[in-house]
Amino acid sequence: MSHKLSTTCTFVMAALLGNTAIAADKVIQKDENDIETLIITASPLERSVLQSTTPVTILSGDELEKNQAATLGETLKSVPGVNSTYFGPVSSSPIIRGLDGPRVKVVQNGMDSSDASRVGPDHVTTNEASTATQIEVLRGPSTLLFGSGAIGGVVNVVDNRLPKTRQDETSGRVSALYDSVSNERTASTDINGGSGNFAWHIDAFKRKTDDYDVPEFALEDGDIVDTIDNSDIDSEGYTFGAGWIGDDVTVSLAYGRLETDYGIPGHSHDDHEHEDEEDEDHDDDDHDEDEDHDEEEHEEEEEVFARMKQDRFQSVVDWKNLSGFFNELHWHNTYTDYQHSEIEEGEVGTTFKNDTFESRLWAKHKVTSGWEGVVGLHYTDSEFSAEGEEAFTPSTDSTHTALFILEEKTVGDFLWQLGGRVERVSHKPDNDFFITSDVDANFKELTYTASSASAGFVYSVSDNQSLAVNYAFSERAPSSAEIFSNGLHISTSTFEVGAGYDLVIDDSDPDDVEFTVVQSSEAVDKEISNNLDITYRVQGDNLQANFSVFYNQVDNYLFQQNTGLEFHDHEEEDHDEEEHDEEEGTAVYAFNQQDAVIYGFEADVDWHFSENLRLSGFTDFTRAKLTDSDDGNDNLPRIPPMRVGAELHWEQDNWHAEFGATHYAKQDKIADFETETDGYTIVSASFNYYLPLGDNDLTLYVKGNNLTDELGKVHSSFIKDVAPLPGRSFVVGAKYNF
């Protein structure tokens, strides 16, 4: 581990040495943000990044534009401590410090996205980066405001759909880009206006891609590919919002619509050999015509794609300048109608629906003995259903009811932050799901009481240095999918078994190991997390540096692991037993529960050498392991490897250029039935030209991604061996602000 310690020491030394050469005037290039002015809207106390006891990163402005991708996970993957699940470019959710799924809360303007992205990596998040004004990433437990599921962290996508300030004139932006690697065409707009106390907002986007190109590589069967079949996207959405902004009362309403069709990579290659054999029977004259016909027919029959739709309604009512103990009152509500269908051979195999109502009411009290803070109520009702022959989880009605409190007090050079939350969670499954299932199960309504508390401080070491320490105790109730999943998930090509079941294995015949699924007699316990975070910050005129270390002990950690078993469709076996014997089965993934520890570090440095030249860099590392493994292998599956990245920025007049590289280390700390992932380095460059147009401005840019055409496989991806990262690409785009 010496190379990791060396990297850490390098960043710390850079921070300390750079701090000795602070200029009189602060320099900020066009692609930077002044961290001292960035406000965390996810916090009800609206503190700045520097006032947070836990690490926070905010992407906005040109930095957000530069990192924009078709999925939220890929947009955020350059943030320290954040990786991507990467189900190809079509679906990718954020992983924070090795934690993903229900442990990472993804919210839109502070309210849950309420999609199905926490259920499986093939399900897209319903958050659009191209119309966002900023994206906030809170690393570490953020359970007090957002619920017991946020043990890993929170991603808050912020836009202007709920107007909160008066608009005297119309303003906005229009942007468009083209990406050569997938023939991507994306256009978006964000327009805001108003008159007097009335304000309005409109945004929209359209994205369309073809299958994306990759460096040539060999699949397990030896076939060489350079394009990932069935990885196209066709997505569009729009939002309308309006608000009445008074001196003491603000009322805003918004409606958003999102529609996305996207391919599911990894399903359309298996028959290529069959096609080739079939083509050999054709005459040479008819070869091309017949091949095209066979390929088209094959795609229609074999490819799996998803169709997602969401309608989202949000409202905000804010009362300010109240008399009495509470001087502010805020009431936020969201209703989401979500639908996601998995379509195979032209037929809908499974349709996931999630109708969710969420309400958060909180009040800010006046300063009492130096303490200021908020107390609130939080309620969520989610009616999740999975319908169709391929449904692998029962419909479940889940409710969350919580009381929370957050308090802050400044004493000398210390800003103290305390908080607590008590939450009641219930899951009520529809047992009719098991009538046609091979499993004899009957689940009663499951209820959990999850408590969370945190205590921390920010100590001002000097005018430009601070030390933040935070301890968080968090309990997380398992999600319904983690408990009740049981069946074939066609998009991920897995057979999923929830923690509410036991696998009974019959290995009397080593050549034909069989298993049955039975309801478990053991309860699925809450996860209990104890997390310590320490962050050191330097904020000078020439230097900005952050270094964080964390240690998280999680009891009853729930994780999904490959069991080494295979599921075979018995109906298919009866239909053609000989053919079935030659085919591989579907991998069986089961949710297990054991104690675990997760620890690591993150560091980032931004150092101005002059007005024109600056160097930015980052590194992160996460180690996740079981504390008591049954088979001696204590590694948790799909944990991202260590990364080190650096970028050189040059700016002169209206020109801005960047050249950088990020190295992903080899991941050989692997769980059973995982494979190692080789290290790789991604090199990129970009050029921006800023053209003033009176009171408006136009930005033209060109980017080169993966310039060395490196083959990169994402270790955290379920389909890393069939869908690596995109190859060399060039992006051209324009953004007009008015």
Side-chain angles (χ1 to χ4, degrees):
M1 196 169 161
S2 59
H3 68 290
K4 298 166 186 166
L5 294 175
S6 175
T7 303
T8 305
C9 293
T10 300
F11 275 92
V12 174
M13 290 176 65
L16 295 177
L17 292 174
N19 193 39
T20 63
I22 296 175
D25 298 318
K26 190 167 187 175
V27 179
I28 298 178
Q29 293 187 352
K30 292 182 175 65
D31 69 325
E32 287 186 278
N33 294 298
D34 187 352
I35 194 172
E36 297 176 9
T37 65
L38 290 176
I39 301 299
I40 308 169
T41 64
S43 168
L45 297 175
E46 296 188 338
R47 295 299 188 185
S48 71
V49 172
L50 301 180
Q51 295 171 313
S52 173
T53 57
T54 58
V56 179
T57 299
I58 296 180
L59 292 182
S60 63
D62 283 355
E63 187 179 17
L64 176 56
E65 188 85 19
K66 178 185 71 174
N67 289 283
Q68 183 190 132
T71 61
L72 184 61
E74 289 299 284
T75 298
L76 298 176
K77 70 177 183 180
S78 64
V79 173
V82 181
N83 287 269
S84 166
T85 57
Y86 197 72
F87 205 83
V90 299
S91 178
S92 178
S93 298
I95 300 172
I96 300 181
R97 294 177 169 178
L99 301 175
D100 64 349
R103 297 181 187 86
V104 174
K105 201 79 166 180
V106 180
V107 297
Q108 183 86 40
N109 298 306
M111 305 295 276
D112 199 311
S113 296
S114 302
D115 49 37
S117 62
R118 310 296 87 195
V119 175
D122 60 306
H123 299 171
V124 299
T125 61
T126 54
N127 307 91
E128 178 56 36
S130 67
T131 56
T133 56
Q134 69 181 42
I135 301 179
E136 304 162 358
V137 181
L138 287 69
R139 301 189 294 277
S142 303
T143 60
L144 302 182
L145 182 66
F146 297 99
S148 64
I151 284 180
V154 169
V155 174
N156 183 31
V157 181
V158 183
D159 58 24
N160 292 319
R161 71 177 63 192
L162 292 163
K164 293 186 178 181
T165 59
R166 293 169 180 164
Q167 301 284 334
D168 296 329
E169 57 184 18
T170 301
S171 62
R173 72 178 188 272
V174 178
S175 63
L177 67 82
Y178 171 80
D179 190 341
S180 64
V181 79
S182 61
N183 195 29
E184 177 185 350
R185 293 86 72 199
T186 296
S188 64
T189 185
D190 178 347
I191 305 174
N192 304 281
S195 177
N197 290 344
F198 177 74
W200 55 267
H201 165 83
I202 298 175
D203 70 53
F205 81 95
K206 172 68 176 178
R207 175 179 297 107
K208 192 171 181 62
T209 77
D210 298 334
D211 294 340
Y212 76 104
D213 297 330
V214 296
E216 283 192 355
F217 74 103
L219 295 171
E220 282 188 357
D221 59 10
D223 282 357
I224 305 298
V225 297
D226 59 8
T227 299
I228 303 304
D229 293 337
N230 204 28
S231 61
D232 58 310
I233 304 171
D234 189 354
S235 181
E236 62 184 30
Y238 57 85
T239 304
F240 299 110
W244 191 90
I245 294 89
D247 294 332
D248 298 327
V249 180
T250 295
V251 180
S252 295
L253 303 171
Y255 165 72
R257 172 76 170 182
L258 181 63
E259 298 181 8
T260 300
D261 284 4
Y262 61 95
I264 305 295
H267 285 269
S268 60
H269 185 80
D270 292 340
D271 277 358
H272 284 335
E273 276 188 26
H274 174 69
E275 288 177 10
D276 292 341
E277 293 171 0
E278 204 171 31
D279 288 337
E280 290 177 2
D281 295 334
H282 295 295
D283 295 333
D284 291 340
D285 294 340
D286 299 331
H287 176 79
D288 293 336
E289 181 180 349
D290 291 339
E291 184 180 53
D292 293 341
H293 175 74
D294 289 342
E295 183 174 351
E296 181 180 351
E297 181 179 351
H298 167 71
E299 288 178 355
E300 290 178 356
E301 291 181 354
E302 298 298 333
E303 289 184 346
V304 177
F305 75 95
R307 174 165 294 157
M308 186 271 290
K309 299 178 182 179
Q310 186 191 67
D311 293 296
R312 183 177 178 88
F313 303 85
Q314 281 190 257
S315 69
V316 167
V317 184
D318 296 328
W319 292 271
K320 297 183 179 180
N321 304 318
L322 300 176
S323 59
F325 180 70
F326 293 107
N327 49 29
E328 292 184 18
L329 185 64
H330 304 269
W331 189 25
H332 293 190
N333 295 279
T334 301
Y335 174 75
T336 304
D337 182 358
Y338 170 92
Q339 180 174 306
H340 169 107
S341 297
E342 296 178 354
I343 301 171
E344 181 181 24
E345 299 181 4
E347 300 291 334
V348 176
T350 311
T351 296
F352 300 92
K353 295 181 180 180
N354 192 7
D355 294 337
T356 302
F357 172 71
E358 181 180 11
S359 182
R360 184 184 291 118
L361 175 69
W362 76 91
K364 184 176 181 180
H365 65 74
K366 65 182 181 181
V367 178
T368 304
S369 300
W371 290 94
E372 60 177 317
V374 298
V375 59
L377 297 170
H378 189 192
Y379 174 79
T380 303
D381 179 66
S382 174
E383 296 180 2
F384 180 85
S385 65
E387 302 171 352
E389 294 182 0
E390 305 288 350
F392 63 92
T393 183
S395 301
T396 306
D397 188 0
S398 299
T399 60
H400 301 246
T401 307
L403 170 68
F404 63 88
I405 183 170
L406 301 170
E407 295 291 332
E408 293 185 351
K409 181 178 183 178
T410 300
V411 181
D413 293 328
F414 286 86
L415 171 63
W416 292 92
Q417 298 179 342
L418 302 173
R421 179 185 180 101
V422 178
E423 181 173 5
R424 184 73 166 174
V425 180
S426 71
H427 299 304
K428 187 176 182 180
D430 183 359
N431 285 298
D432 288 346
F433 171 81
F434 300 104
I435 294 177
T436 57
S437 170
D438 293 335
V439 179
D440 182 14
N442 186 17
F443 288 95
K444 298 179 180 178
E445 181 176 358
L446 303 181
T447 59
Y448 299 87
T449 300
S451 301
S452 303
S454 70
F457 64 82
V458 180
Y459 170 58
S460 298
V461 179
S462 64
D463 290 341
N464 59 0
Q465 300 180 57
S466 66
L467 177 68
V469 178
N470 189 70
Y471 164 75
F473 169 83
S474 306
E475 294 182 330
R476 183 181 78 88
S479 69
S480 59
E482 290 174 313
I483 302 172
F484 305 122
S485 292
N486 174 33
L488 183 65
H489 191 173
I490 59 173
S491 293
T492 58
S493 296
T494 58
F495 188 93
E496 301 190 6
V497 180
Y501 310 93
D502 291 329
L503 284 172
V504 180
I505 301 173
D506 179 6
D507 57 0
S508 56
D509 182 359
D511 296 327
D512 186 18
V513 178
E514 297 183 351
F515 70 92
T516 55
V517 180
V518 298
Q519 184 175 353
S520 176
S521 59
E522 301 292 330
V524 184
D525 296 324
K526 296 178 294 185
E527 284 185 347
I528 302 174
S529 169
N530 288 274
N531 186 86
L532 180 64
D533 241 304
I534 302 175
T535 302
Y536 171 73
R537 301 184 178 108
V538 176
Q539 303 296 330
D541 291 334
N542 270 14
L543 176 73
Q544 174 182 310
N546 303 278
F547 178 72
S548 299
V549 295
F550 63 92
Y551 184 88
N552 193 0
Q553 178 181 320
V554 188
D555 296 338
N556 307 319
Y557 183 80
L558 263 169
F559 62 102
Q560 192 177 26
Q561 188 169 22
N562 191 337
T563 62
L565 300 171
E566 292 183 351
F567 167 77
H568 293 274
D569 191 326
H570 293 299
E571 292 183 3
E572 182 180 325
E573 181 178 1
D574 295 338
H575 177 69
D576 194 341
E577 184 174 352
E578 182 178 350
E579 180 180 346
H580 171 78
D581 289 340
E582 296 175 356
E583 294 179 354
E584 292 185 1
T586 302
V588 177
Y589 281 76
F591 283 94
N592 298 319
Q593 196 162 34
Q594 291 180 249
D595 296 346
V597 293
I598 304 168
Y599 56 88
F601 62 79
E602 300 130 9
D604 64 88
V605 174
D606 198 301
W607 192 359
H608 285 259
F609 299 109
S610 66
E611 279 189 24
N612 306 107
L613 193 65
R614 86 178 209 268
L615 177 68
S616 62
F618 83 98
T619 183
D620 55 23
F621 168 73
T622 298
R623 181 74 172 100
K625 58 184 182 179
L626 302 170
T627 58
D628 186 16
S629 176
D630 295 335
D631 60 2
N633 185 351
D634 61 0
N635 297 312
L636 281 169
R638 297 178 300 282
I639 300 300
M642 180 181 176
R643 300 182 298 176
V644 179
E647 202 165 42
L648 190 64
H649 306 252
W650 172 84
E651 187 168 286
Q652 180 71 48
D653 298 326
N654 292 334
W655 289 95
H656 183 92
E658 300 171 3
F659 179 79
T662 300
H663 176 70
Y664 294 76
K666 177 181 180 180
Q667 181 56 287
D668 54 9
K669 301 292 192 297
I670 57 175
D672 293 336
F673 308 107
E674 268 195 303
T675 58
E676 295 183 359
T677 304
D678 293 335
Y680 55 92
T681 301
I682 302 296
V683 179
S684 61
S686 66
F687 298 89
N688 286 20
Y689 181 69
Y690 300 89
L691 179 63
L693 299 173
D695 295 334
N696 308 322
D697 63 82
L698 174 66
T699 302
L700 304 173
Y701 61 88
V702 57
K703 296 190 296 184
N705 298 319
N706 195 7
L707 293 175
T708 60
D709 206 30
E710 181 92 345
L711 179 64
K713 296 184 178 181
V714 181
H715 183 75
S716 53
S717 172
F718 273 85
I719 56 172
K720 67 172 184 174
D721 292 323
V722 297
L725 290 172
R728 182 188 298 113
S729 74
F730 295 96
V731 181
V732 294
K735 180 177 67 172
Y736 178 63
N737 292 312
F738 60 90

